[in-house]
Amino acid sequence: MPCPSSCPPGLLALMAPGLALMATFSLPSQAGDRRALPVEKPPGVKGRTLILLDVNTKSPVRIISENFLSLQLDPSIIHDGWLDFLSSRNGAACRAELSLPQVPTGGERGVGQVFRALRSPDFQPCAGGRARLQLRWAPPAVRSGRGLEALGRPESPLPAGSRRLVTLARGLAPAFLRFAGKRTDFLQFHNVKNPAKSRGGPGPDYYLKNYEDARSLDKLYNFADCSGLHLIFALNALRRNPNNSWNSSNALSLLKYSASKKYNISWELGNEPNNYRTLIGRSVNGSQLGKDYIQLRSLLQLIRTYSRANLYGPNIGRPRKNVIALLEGFMKVAGSTVDAVTWQHYYIDGRVAKVTDFLKTRLLDTLSDQIRKIQKVVNTYAPGKKIWLEGVGATSAGGMNNLSDSYAAGFLWLNTLGLLASQGIDVVVRHSFLDHGHNHLVDQNFNPLPDYWLSLLYKRLIGPKVLAIHVAGLQRKPRPGRVIRDKLRIYAHCTSYHNHNYVRGSITLYIINLHRSRKKIKLAGTLRDKIVHQYLLQPYGKDGLHSKSVQLNGQPLAMVDDGTLPELKPRPLRAGRTLVIPPLTMSFYVVKNVNALACRYR
């Protein structure tokens, strides 16, 4: 209360600090919001936390690949019989329409594909007559006697499951499809017209010998081609000569066959070479592995179709001390030979994982340390070389049912995408699209899991340009994405150019709230008073974080039919409205008509 002019001078002197403090809190904030920033209250005092968020719209901090989010198929699909569900021998019908709300167009060097929709009332993707299903292990729907019509029968036309898988894969295009895994280094290629007959039929030995024939490669390539994916094939690196050099004879047969078919494929050699001693009792050091890659590059240059094909590697495991030594040896010899340096990462041992593990910020941050280690080695020997995380999943050991395939696993997956993009990793390959354990995006009944829907939203809304964010509020350090004890993570990109619902210059935020309470975000600066479209992804059903179904803005997500993905409808928010982030959720927010300079041009 103001003091009368008759107040003694001594009393005015005592009141001066308090009056100055009141004046400070009445000043408008520099972020553009007329209200003052919140003041941290003493413990036990309840109050709302309002976070002010702005984005640097002048220039991107990173530009990642158009194929940033890519997919992996494990070679176990040959052993388990799933390859028969990918496609038949003839890919002539791939040009038919898949009834998607949006079909992305474009690609990058090495992809050479443009995806357009052509109408066809009787679409059967990759259907070329009768598809013989030589399965030794049936999916649960077949074993239980349910879903036989959807999965197909022996000697029937192409199963509807194939069309469904193409629809799901095509929703995530453009992307790479990496065919690799633990069985990569035990696959043998033989170009035999009827391999099952020549080897005595498709009995147990047929699959246990990891035999791969030309028809298997045809089906794999046709599936990738139908889905708008660029195939990356990992060759067997464990065929070794007595002097421990790579024996390339079998790989050369495969290269010649695929070249005769004019298949557009990129290549790798082996999978996790740091584990070879465990697998076969024989190790391959980094220097020798580098020489093997140089040998493979020479083979590719001898074959006209692949003289300019991309080559990726060495696909090492977690960068511990011995693995870093292997990578250094490889980079010294073959750093200039590969088009990108690759490694793998799995967060948790799937045998001991708990749902609470997926909410730990310490676990989410383990990837940052690995990125720094890999970047340090690569920049030492090949500055500027692209780096890929090739093979990532929530849990190792195949994952855990109702956990690594549940809604809870999405926190790790979305944070992985945001963290990798912000730190300049060019591509991340998700292991696996189908079948491998419980880390997959699509289950054994061909139903999309929560991480699939999360990936679909990411593909539809997120462009390759990464933007820096500025946050004011309660935080430990002023770093993007690490606000309020790291449990509220915020990332920003230019909105995807392929999404024609939004004009160029729009911005997409994606937010992970690991708090058990809701958080409020006020858009400031260039984002202030703009219309926002909300895409809030929450678990659906009574299982909570364990749920394998999700809802978007309160509506459950499910395929319309085998050839149609659902429309992803946003919830419009009025201009200037505060964003309310529910607890334990993931969400995307498209800020429309920002006219961001960084996002106007490709």
Side-chain angles (χ1 to χ4, degrees):
M1 180 176 180
C3 184
S5 58
S6 59
C7 286
L11 182 58
L12 286 173
L14 290 172
M15 295 178 64
L19 292 172
L21 185 61
M22 291 173 62
T24 300
F25 286 131
S26 67
L27 291 174
S29 68
Q30 294 182 356
D33 195 306
R34 291 295 178 183
R35 288 175 291 182
L37 292 179
V39 181
E40 187 171 2
K41 297 186 177 182
V45 179
K46 294 184 178 181
R48 293 184 303 174
T49 301
L50 183 67
I51 301 159
L52 298 182
L53 173 65
D54 192 11
V55 173
N56 183 348
T57 60
K58 294 182 179 180
S59 61
V61 293
R62 298 278 190 275
I63 301 178
I64 54 178
S65 170
E66 289 275 359
N67 294 0
F68 174 71
L69 195 167
S70 290
L71 307 172
Q72 180 167 331
L73 276 176
D74 196 277
S76 61
I77 63 172
I78 296 177
H79 180 279
D80 295 337
W82 287 103
L83 193 60
D84 290 285
F85 282 97
L86 294 185
S87 68
S88 68
R89 289 168 291 179
N90 187 351
C94 291
R95 295 183 299 274
E97 182 182 26
L98 268 173
S99 303
L100 291 177
Q102 298 169 2
V103 179
T105 61
E108 65 172 26
R109 186 174 77 89
V111 179
Q113 302 180 80
V114 177
F115 317 122
R116 295 188 175 92
L118 301 178
R119 296 193 176 275
S120 175
D122 55 349
F123 171 70
Q124 280 194 343
C126 307
R130 304 168 71 83
R132 295 191 302 172
L133 307 183
Q134 299 174 334
L135 299 181
R136 303 308 301 169
W137 178 79
V142 175
R143 291 203 303 265
S144 63
R146 294 179 287 108
L148 291 175
E149 291 183 3
L151 297 179
R153 304 173 185 270
E155 296 299 323
S156 71
L158 182 71
S162 176
R163 182 187 183 192
R164 190 177 182 89
L165 289 175
V166 171
T167 302
L168 291 168
R170 200 166 194 177
L172 302 181
F176 296 107
L177 179 66
R178 179 178 184 252
F179 185 69
K182 288 185 177 180
R183 289 177 177 164
T184 289
D185 294 301
F186 299 96
L187 286 177
Q188 306 293 329
F189 176 78
H190 295 278
N191 186 6
V192 181
K193 290 184 178 180
N194 193 344
K197 184 176 181 179
S198 66
R199 293 171 63 96
D205 291 342
Y206 172 72
Y207 291 109
L208 291 176
K209 291 181 180 179
N210 295 291
Y211 179 82
E212 181 190 22
D213 64 300
R215 292 191 307 168
S216 298
L217 182 59
D218 293 339
K219 291 177 182 180
L220 179 65
Y221 185 83
N222 286 339
F223 171 74
D225 193 44
C226 283
S227 305
L229 309 176
H230 177 71
L231 183 62
I232 300 175
F233 194 98
L235 299 167
N236 183 343
L238 283 183
R239 287 178 62 92
R240 315 299 294 183
N241 295 317
N243 63 354
N244 207 30
S245 63
W246 178 49
N247 184 328
S248 61
S249 58
N250 190 254
L252 183 59
S253 298
L254 192 154
L255 290 171
K256 288 182 176 179
Y257 175 80
S258 57
S260 70
K261 294 282 192 174
K262 300 189 183 320
Y263 288 160
N264 181 20
I265 302 177
S266 295
W267 303 95
E268 293 182 359
L269 182 60
N271 183 76
E272 286 195 276
N274 47 288
N275 286 338
Y276 286 168
R277 180 175 290 279
T278 303
L279 292 175
I280 62 169
R282 185 178 185 180
S283 63
V284 178
N285 61 38
S287 177
Q288 181 58 57
L289 188 64
K291 294 175 182 177
D292 299 338
Y293 264 78
I294 292 175
Q295 182 181 351
L296 175 55
R297 174 62 79 185
S298 298
L299 285 180
L300 294 174
Q301 291 174 343
L302 291 175
I303 301 173
R304 184 175 180 179
T305 304
Y306 300 122
S307 60
R308 300 183 63 183
N310 286 343
L311 178 61
Y312 307 109
N315 199 250
I316 56 173
R318 180 176 295 182
R320 298 185 178 92
K321 186 176 180 180
N322 64 315
V323 180
I324 289 294
L326 188 150
L327 179 60
E328 288 177 337
F330 174 85
M331 293 300 297
K332 288 178 184 178
V333 176
S336 61
T337 301
V338 292
D339 294 281
V341 177
T342 61
W343 98 101
Q344 297 188 20
H345 175 71
Y346 295 90
Y347 284 94
I348 317 171
D349 185 341
R351 295 164 292 190
V352 297
K354 304 182 295 295
V355 70
T356 53
D357 293 334
F358 295 94
L359 308 179
K360 295 178 179 178
T361 58
R362 186 182 304 174
L363 177 66
L364 270 63
D365 292 335
T366 56
L367 183 58
S368 294
D369 183 55
Q370 292 198 23
I371 294 173
R372 286 191 293 269
K373 290 179 180 179
I374 297 293
Q375 287 177 332
K376 181 179 179 180
V377 176
V378 173
N379 292 332
T380 299
Y381 297 99
K385 180 72 66 177
K386 293 179 179 180
I387 302 175
W388 292 10
L389 179 54
E390 228 186 29
V392 62
T395 58
S396 61
M400 180 177 286
N401 189 27
N402 295 323
L403 196 56
S404 53
D405 51 2
S406 69
Y407 179 86
F411 296 121
L412 285 177
W413 178 224
L414 188 57
N415 187 71
T416 297
L417 295 172
L419 192 61
L420 292 171
S422 65
Q423 297 199 25
I425 303 303
D426 198 51
V427 170
V428 54
V429 179
R430 172 60 187 255
H431 188 203
S432 175
F433 175 66
L434 172 72
D435 180 41
H436 188 75
H438 300 284
N439 282 322
H440 42 226
L441 299 179
V442 179
D443 70 15
Q444 294 176 344
N445 293 313
F446 311 137
N447 294 316
L449 293 165
D451 276 6
Y452 176 85
W453 297 117
L454 190 59
S455 302
L456 184 65
L457 278 168
Y458 190 95
K459 278 287 188 178
R460 294 283 177 86
L461 301 176
I462 303 298
K465 292 185 178 180
V466 186
L467 304 175
I469 68 170
H470 306 289
V471 178
L474 298 180
Q475 61 185 87
R476 294 191 306 186
K477 297 179 181 179
R479 285 185 286 176
R482 307 188 67 172
V483 186
I484 310 182
R485 300 179 183 175
D486 300 342
K487 287 193 173 184
L488 188 66
R489 302 192 171 215
I490 308 171
Y491 302 97
H493 287 239
C494 295
T495 303
S496 173
Y497 299 123
H498 301 308
N499 194 322
H500 301 301
N501 294 323
Y502 303 107
V503 299
R504 292 191 180 184
S506 300
I507 288 173
T508 301
L509 309 169
Y510 50 109
I511 302 173
I512 304 167
N513 185 12
L514 294 174
H515 287 274
R516 296 186 181 275
S517 61
R518 66 180 186 173
K519 298 300 172 186
K520 296 188 176 182
I521 298 176
K522 185 72 174 178
L523 300 183
T526 54
L527 308 184
R528 188 181 183 186
D529 296 332
K530 302 294 183 183
I531 295 175
V532 176
H533 279 185
Q534 172 186 274
Y535 297 82
L536 176 62
L537 201 65
Q538 295 175 290
Y540 178 71
K542 60 183 180 181
D543 293 327
L545 294 179
H546 289 278
S547 177
K548 294 185 181 181
S549 301
V550 294
Q551 55 184 328
L552 179 65
N553 295 326
Q555 298 298 318
L557 287 177
M559 295 187 71
V560 178
D561 53 49
D562 288 339
T564 312
L565 291 170
E567 183 181 357
L568 304 178
K569 296 182 180 179
R571 178 191 174 195
L573 306 179
R574 71 174 185 271
R577 178 173 175 175
T578 299
L579 307 182
V580 179
I581 317 299
L584 300 176
T585 57
M586 297 165 281
S587 51
F588 296 79
Y589 296 89
V590 179
V591 187
K592 300 181 63 179
N593 304 321
V594 179
N595 198 27
L597 180 63
C599 305
R600 291 181 197 168
Y601 310 103
R602 297 189 67 172

